[in-house]
Amino acid sequence: MDKRVPFLDLRIADDAERQALLQAVERVFRHGRIVLGPEVHDLETQVAAHCGRKFGIGVSSGTDALFSALRALDIGPGDEVITTSLSWIATANAIAMTGATPVFADIRDDLNIDPESVDRLVGPRTKAILPVHYTGKMCDMTALMDIAAQHKLHSIEDASQAFDAEVHGRKAGNFGIVSCFSMNPMKVFAGCGEAGMVVTDREDLRDRLIRLRYNGTINREECVEPSLNGRIDTVQAAILVARLPGVAQIIERRRQIARWYDELLAGYVETPRESPGYRDVYYTYTIRSPRRDALKAHLEALGIETKIHHPILMPHQPAYRNGVRGEFRRAEQLVRQVLCIPMHEKLSGADVHYVADCIRSFSRKAAA
Ligand SMILES: *Cc1c(COP(=O)(O)O)cnc(C)c1O
């Protein structure tokens, strides 16, 4: 079997796209404003506008966006932040690195945080909730914002996987006091290196984030609080500005591939469902199977690369499991079943059919 379907393909094979990106980088080389150049401001303005926010602050990564946003809200030692059990570990690390304690809520079958679990976990030390729009699907923001309002908690979106996702016409990045994005090369809106963004409507937070981004300094020399260097690279910003107009098309293509998978895989495995009023962007297309490990091996033997996001729940990580607080019974069940199958805009219709055929042949074999 020599057919191969890679999980991701980060090459830029399209000549026009490659030329456009090279030109964007060349412009930076020519104007020479390499550090916090004009493209950074352009990107901040455009991403903020896209999310319906007043301000964008470009930073060095999604992890840094989360860490800086939490610090800007004065979250630190003695505080608790409630987040999901199932995410990339950066979410929990950003909380822990402020000195605060992450508290892990359970998830629902759509793999997003369960608002009822969040509500049960709110305690006297809780300062914020940090929902993650996992797989590119928005969380139940109505319920979560209600809980935040009721208990006077900050809400911080981890929208790293969900740029341009929507719920009832409202975009990821528009909820709560601050929202965070990653634009690392794997994301749907991606640079060619590390990059992140915080968006907010609060001017005081914007100012604080700008000084946190550069060693806590308020002018070239005066440091008013300890911090690290988290500036976004101008070359990455230039690439992202060049890519932003094409993101809508990338997402349309991903959504089309998702509809094909939905149809071809119905009745064979659990497929992700888009709820009414939601617009999912399919950072991953995550199926579920009770025989997940055998299915993964079957697909691998047929040249199809898949991934398990993320095999170790955050509260089970060696860094967190001692004395951990949270609820994750459903997450423990679901994480044993999840499998991310190839989902990117470069997949052909033939690739999608091949992947689906191979999953169907596994299910038939299992049934026989
Ligand atoms: C990618 C990602 C991050 C971290 O972003 P980086 O830019 O890699 O630091 C954080 N949270 C989630 C949910 C992510 O998917």
PDB file of all heavy atoms in Angstrom, residues 61-64 66 87-88 90-91 132 134 158 160-161 182-184 187 194-195 283, ligand 1:
ATOM      1  N   SER A  61       3.558  33.734  21.724  1.00  0.00           N
ATOM      2  CA  SER A  61       2.933  32.418  21.543  1.00  0.00           C
ATOM      3  C   SER A  61       1.548  32.424  22.180  1.00  0.00           C
ATOM      4  O   SER A  61       1.204  33.364  22.920  1.00  0.00           O
ATOM      5  CB  SER A  61       3.774  31.318  22.216  1.00  0.00           C
ATOM      6  OG  SER A  61       3.726  31.460  23.623  1.00  0.00           O
ATOM      7  N   GLY A  62       0.803  31.372  21.946  1.00  0.00           N
ATOM      8  CA  GLY A  62      -0.487  31.226  22.606  1.00  0.00           C
ATOM      9  C   GLY A  62      -0.311  31.027  24.104  1.00  0.00           C
ATOM     10  O   GLY A  62      -1.103  31.533  24.910  1.00  0.00           O
ATOM     11  N   THR A  63       0.706  30.275  24.471  1.00  0.00           N
ATOM     12  CA  THR A  63       0.988  30.059  25.890  1.00  0.00           C
ATOM     13  C   THR A  63       1.256  31.397  26.568  1.00  0.00           C
ATOM     14  O   THR A  63       0.736  31.691  27.652  1.00  0.00           O
ATOM     15  CB  THR A  63       2.233  29.152  26.059  1.00  0.00           C
ATOM     16  OG1 THR A  63       2.104  28.020  25.207  1.00  0.00           O
ATOM     17  CG2 THR A  63       2.404  28.707  27.489  1.00  0.00           C
ATOM     18  N   ASP A  64       2.059  32.212  25.913  1.00  0.00           N
ATOM     19  CA  ASP A  64       2.389  33.526  26.461  1.00  0.00           C
ATOM     20  C   ASP A  64       1.151  34.419  26.520  1.00  0.00           C
ATOM     21  O   ASP A  64       0.992  35.204  27.468  1.00  0.00           O
ATOM     22  CB  ASP A  64       3.483  34.164  25.593  1.00  0.00           C
ATOM     23  CG  ASP A  64       4.025  35.431  26.210  1.00  0.00           C
ATOM     24  OD1 ASP A  64       4.296  35.414  27.419  1.00  0.00           O
ATOM     25  OD2 ASP A  64       4.158  36.428  25.488  1.00  0.00           O
ATOM     26  N   LEU A  66      -1.904  33.461  27.124  1.00  0.00           N
ATOM     27  CA  LEU A  66      -2.665  33.036  28.302  1.00  0.00           C
ATOM     28  C   LEU A  66      -1.977  33.499  29.592  1.00  0.00           C
ATOM     29  O   LEU A  66      -2.620  34.043  30.495  1.00  0.00           O
ATOM     30  CB  LEU A  66      -2.799  31.508  28.314  1.00  0.00           C
ATOM     31  CG  LEU A  66      -3.697  30.910  27.230  1.00  0.00           C
ATOM     32  CD1 LEU A  66      -3.453  29.404  27.116  1.00  0.00           C
ATOM     33  CD2 LEU A  66      -5.168  31.196  27.538  1.00  0.00           C
ATOM     34  N   SER A  87      -7.191  19.446  27.274  1.00  0.00           N
ATOM     35  CA  SER A  87      -6.643  20.491  26.408  1.00  0.00           C
ATOM     36  C   SER A  87      -5.172  20.204  26.250  1.00  0.00           C
ATOM     37  O   SER A  87      -4.610  19.345  26.943  1.00  0.00           O
ATOM     38  CB  SER A  87      -6.846  21.874  27.029  1.00  0.00           C
ATOM     39  OG  SER A  87      -6.288  22.901  26.212  1.00  0.00           O
ATOM     40  N   TRP A  88      -4.545  20.933  25.361  1.00  0.00           N
ATOM     41  CA  TRP A  88      -3.082  20.938  25.309  1.00  0.00           C
ATOM     42  C   TRP A  88      -2.602  21.525  26.638  1.00  0.00           C
ATOM     43  O   TRP A  88      -3.177  22.472  27.154  1.00  0.00           O
ATOM     44  CB  TRP A  88      -2.620  21.749  24.108  1.00  0.00           C
ATOM     45  CG  TRP A  88      -1.138  22.019  24.068  1.00  0.00           C
ATOM     46  CD1 TRP A  88      -0.549  23.231  23.847  1.00  0.00           C
ATOM     47  CD2 TRP A  88      -0.062  21.075  24.229  1.00  0.00           C
ATOM     48  NE1 TRP A  88       0.818  23.098  23.880  1.00  0.00           N
ATOM     49  CE2 TRP A  88       1.145  21.786  24.119  1.00  0.00           C
ATOM     50  CE3 TRP A  88      -0.012  19.697  24.480  1.00  0.00           C
ATOM     51  CZ2 TRP A  88       2.391  21.177  24.238  1.00  0.00           C
ATOM     52  CZ3 TRP A  88       1.232  19.087  24.615  1.00  0.00           C
ATOM     53  CH2 TRP A  88       2.405  19.821  24.479  1.00  0.00           C
ATOM     54  N   ALA A  90      -0.519  23.478  27.663  1.00  0.00           N
ATOM     55  CA  ALA A  90      -0.209  24.910  27.766  1.00  0.00           C
ATOM     56  C   ALA A  90      -1.274  25.646  28.579  1.00  0.00           C
ATOM     57  O   ALA A  90      -0.954  26.603  29.303  1.00  0.00           O
ATOM     58  CB  ALA A  90      -0.109  25.527  26.368  1.00  0.00           C
ATOM     59  N   THR A  91      -2.527  25.220  28.467  1.00  0.00           N
ATOM     60  CA  THR A  91      -3.616  25.894  29.178  1.00  0.00           C
ATOM     61  C   THR A  91      -3.377  25.845  30.691  1.00  0.00           C
ATOM     62  O   THR A  91      -3.438  26.871  31.376  1.00  0.00           O
ATOM     63  CB  THR A  91      -4.964  25.235  28.830  1.00  0.00           C
ATOM     64  OG1 THR A  91      -5.085  25.140  27.408  1.00  0.00           O
ATOM     65  CG2 THR A  91      -6.125  26.032  29.377  1.00  0.00           C
ATOM     66  N   VAL A 132     -11.745  26.459  27.031  1.00  0.00           N
ATOM     67  CA  VAL A 132     -10.995  26.227  25.792  1.00  0.00           C
ATOM     68  C   VAL A 132     -11.990  25.797  24.722  1.00  0.00           C
ATOM     69  O   VAL A 132     -12.731  24.837  24.932  1.00  0.00           O
ATOM     70  CB  VAL A 132      -9.958  25.094  25.997  1.00  0.00           C
ATOM     71  CG1 VAL A 132      -9.209  24.821  24.701  1.00  0.00           C
ATOM     72  CG2 VAL A 132      -8.998  25.426  27.129  1.00  0.00           C
ATOM     73  N   TYR A 134     -12.382  23.750  22.285  1.00  0.00           N
ATOM     74  CA  TYR A 134     -11.570  22.606  21.873  1.00  0.00           C
ATOM     75  C   TYR A 134     -11.998  22.091  20.511  1.00  0.00           C
ATOM     76  O   TYR A 134     -13.200  22.055  20.215  1.00  0.00           O
ATOM     77  CB  TYR A 134     -11.708  21.509  22.945  1.00  0.00           C
ATOM     78  CG  TYR A 134     -10.580  20.526  22.962  1.00  0.00           C
ATOM     79  CD1 TYR A 134      -9.275  20.942  23.182  1.00  0.00           C
ATOM     80  CD2 TYR A 134     -10.818  19.179  22.767  1.00  0.00           C
ATOM     81  CE1 TYR A 134      -8.232  20.031  23.205  1.00  0.00           C
ATOM     82  CE2 TYR A 134      -9.787  18.259  22.787  1.00  0.00           C
ATOM     83  CZ  TYR A 134      -8.495  18.696  22.996  1.00  0.00           C
ATOM     84  OH  TYR A 134      -7.476  17.787  23.018  1.00  0.00           O
ATOM     85  N   ASP A 158      -9.593  30.617  25.985  1.00  0.00           N
ATOM     86  CA  ASP A 158      -8.476  30.064  25.222  1.00  0.00           C
ATOM     87  C   ASP A 158      -9.051  29.692  23.861  1.00  0.00           C
ATOM     88  O   ASP A 158      -9.629  28.616  23.680  1.00  0.00           O
ATOM     89  CB  ASP A 158      -7.861  28.848  25.921  1.00  0.00           C
ATOM     90  CG  ASP A 158      -6.656  28.286  25.157  1.00  0.00           C
ATOM     91  OD1 ASP A 158      -6.455  28.685  23.986  1.00  0.00           O
ATOM     92  OD2 ASP A 158      -5.941  27.439  25.725  1.00  0.00           O
ATOM     93  N   SER A 160      -7.338  29.398  21.106  1.00  0.00           N
ATOM     94  CA  SER A 160      -6.205  28.997  20.258  1.00  0.00           C
ATOM     95  C   SER A 160      -6.613  28.117  19.088  1.00  0.00           C
ATOM     96  O   SER A 160      -6.007  28.164  18.029  1.00  0.00           O
ATOM     97  CB  SER A 160      -5.187  28.225  21.101  1.00  0.00           C
ATOM     98  OG  SER A 160      -4.636  29.060  22.082  1.00  0.00           O
ATOM     99  N   GLN A 161      -7.626  27.280  19.305  1.00  0.00           N
ATOM    100  CA  GLN A 161      -8.024  26.330  18.255  1.00  0.00           C
ATOM    101  C   GLN A 161      -9.227  26.837  17.479  1.00  0.00           C
ATOM    102  O   GLN A 161      -9.756  26.113  16.638  1.00  0.00           O
ATOM    103  CB  GLN A 161      -8.342  24.964  18.888  1.00  0.00           C
ATOM    104  CG  GLN A 161      -7.173  24.409  19.686  1.00  0.00           C
ATOM    105  CD  GLN A 161      -7.373  22.987  20.156  1.00  0.00           C
ATOM    106  OE1 GLN A 161      -8.432  22.383  19.943  1.00  0.00           O
ATOM    107  NE2 GLN A 161      -6.365  22.412  20.785  1.00  0.00           N
ATOM    108  N   SER A 182      -3.496  31.410  19.756  1.00  0.00           N
ATOM    109  CA  SER A 182      -2.190  30.975  19.275  1.00  0.00           C
ATOM    110  C   SER A 182      -2.240  31.012  17.758  1.00  0.00           C
ATOM    111  O   SER A 182      -3.248  30.621  17.160  1.00  0.00           O
ATOM    112  CB  SER A 182      -1.912  29.545  19.730  1.00  0.00           C
ATOM    113  OG  SER A 182      -0.846  28.991  18.976  1.00  0.00           O
ATOM    114  N   MET A 183      -1.168  31.455  17.145  1.00  0.00           N
ATOM    115  CA  MET A 183      -1.064  31.347  15.684  1.00  0.00           C
ATOM    116  C   MET A 183       0.159  30.508  15.336  1.00  0.00           C
ATOM    117  O   MET A 183       0.880  30.811  14.400  1.00  0.00           O
ATOM    118  CB  MET A 183      -0.982  32.739  15.038  1.00  0.00           C
ATOM    119  CG  MET A 183      -2.273  33.535  15.129  1.00  0.00           C
ATOM    120  SD  MET A 183      -2.366  34.537  16.632  1.00  0.00           S
ATOM    121  CE  MET A 183      -1.391  35.927  16.152  1.00  0.00           C
ATOM    122  N   ASN A 184       0.404  29.458  16.112  1.00  0.00           N
ATOM    123  CA  ASN A 184       1.540  28.588  15.804  1.00  0.00           C
ATOM    124  C   ASN A 184       1.244  27.833  14.501  1.00  0.00           C
ATOM    125  O   ASN A 184       0.113  27.833  14.023  1.00  0.00           O
ATOM    126  CB  ASN A 184       1.898  27.713  17.020  1.00  0.00           C
ATOM    127  CG  ASN A 184       1.096  26.421  17.127  1.00  0.00           C
ATOM    128  OD1 ASN A 184       0.559  25.902  16.147  1.00  0.00           O
ATOM    129  ND2 ASN A 184       1.013  25.885  18.326  1.00  0.00           N
ATOM    130  N   LYS A 187      -2.059  25.764  13.800  1.00  0.00           N
ATOM    131  CA  LYS A 187      -3.418  26.284  13.964  1.00  0.00           C
ATOM    132  C   LYS A 187      -4.060  26.601  12.608  1.00  0.00           C
ATOM    133  O   LYS A 187      -3.382  26.660  11.591  1.00  0.00           O
ATOM    134  CB  LYS A 187      -3.401  27.547  14.831  1.00  0.00           C
ATOM    135  CG  LYS A 187      -2.731  27.379  16.180  1.00  0.00           C
ATOM    136  CD  LYS A 187      -3.271  26.240  17.027  1.00  0.00           C
ATOM    137  CE  LYS A 187      -2.734  26.329  18.446  1.00  0.00           C
ATOM    138  NZ  LYS A 187      -2.641  25.032  19.135  1.00  0.00           N
ATOM    139  N   GLU A 194       6.356  30.759  15.827  1.00  0.00           N
ATOM    140  CA  GLU A 194       5.531  30.977  17.016  1.00  0.00           C
ATOM    141  C   GLU A 194       4.896  32.366  17.002  1.00  0.00           C
ATOM    142  O   GLU A 194       5.531  33.338  16.608  1.00  0.00           O
ATOM    143  CB  GLU A 194       6.385  30.840  18.282  1.00  0.00           C
ATOM    144  CG  GLU A 194       7.233  29.565  18.359  1.00  0.00           C
ATOM    145  CD  GLU A 194       6.401  28.304  18.476  1.00  0.00           C
ATOM    146  OE1 GLU A 194       5.265  28.381  18.981  1.00  0.00           O
ATOM    147  OE2 GLU A 194       6.898  27.238  18.068  1.00  0.00           O
ATOM    148  N   ALA A 195       3.665  32.446  17.437  1.00  0.00           N
ATOM    149  CA  ALA A 195       2.981  33.746  17.536  1.00  0.00           C
ATOM    150  C   ALA A 195       1.703  33.577  18.356  1.00  0.00           C
ATOM    151  O   ALA A 195       1.103  32.500  18.377  1.00  0.00           O
ATOM    152  CB  ALA A 195       2.636  34.304  16.160  1.00  0.00           C
ATOM    153  N   TYR A 283     -10.388  22.671  13.782  1.00  0.00           N
ATOM    154  CA  TYR A 283      -8.942  22.584  14.037  1.00  0.00           C
ATOM    155  C   TYR A 283      -8.543  21.107  13.961  1.00  0.00           C
ATOM    156  O   TYR A 283      -7.535  20.748  13.372  1.00  0.00           O
ATOM    157  CB  TYR A 283      -8.634  23.165  15.417  1.00  0.00           C
ATOM    158  CG  TYR A 283      -7.239  22.899  15.895  1.00  0.00           C
ATOM    159  CD1 TYR A 283      -6.148  23.447  15.232  1.00  0.00           C
ATOM    160  CD2 TYR A 283      -6.997  22.087  17.002  1.00  0.00           C
ATOM    161  CE1 TYR A 283      -4.859  23.192  15.662  1.00  0.00           C
ATOM    162  CE2 TYR A 283      -5.713  21.838  17.437  1.00  0.00           C
ATOM    163  CZ  TYR A 283      -4.651  22.390  16.765  1.00  0.00           C
ATOM    164  OH  TYR A 283      -3.379  22.131  17.193  1.00  0.00           O
TER     165      TYR A 283
HETATM  166  C1  LIG B   1      -1.863  25.636  20.630  1.00  0.00           C
HETATM  167  C2  LIG B   1      -2.561  25.815  21.907  1.00  0.00           C
HETATM  168  C3  LIG B   1      -2.035  26.573  22.959  1.00  0.00           C
HETATM  169  C4  LIG B   1      -0.634  27.078  22.976  1.00  0.00           C
HETATM  170  O1  LIG B   1      -0.261  27.841  21.910  1.00  0.00           O
HETATM  171  P1  LIG B   1       1.280  27.990  21.539  1.00  0.00           P
HETATM  172  O2  LIG B   1       1.266  29.086  20.521  1.00  0.00           O
HETATM  173  O3  LIG B   1       1.734  26.677  20.978  1.00  0.00           O
HETATM  174  O4  LIG B   1       2.023  28.374  22.767  1.00  0.00           O
HETATM  175  C5  LIG B   1      -2.799  26.779  24.081  1.00  0.00           C
HETATM  176  N1  LIG B   1      -4.028  26.270  24.192  1.00  0.00           N
HETATM  177  C6  LIG B   1      -4.565  25.518  23.224  1.00  0.00           C
HETATM  178  C7  LIG B   1      -5.951  24.992  23.404  1.00  0.00           C
HETATM  179  C8  LIG B   1      -3.852  25.241  22.062  1.00  0.00           C
HETATM  180  O5  LIG B   1      -4.393  24.462  21.119  1.00  0.00           O
END
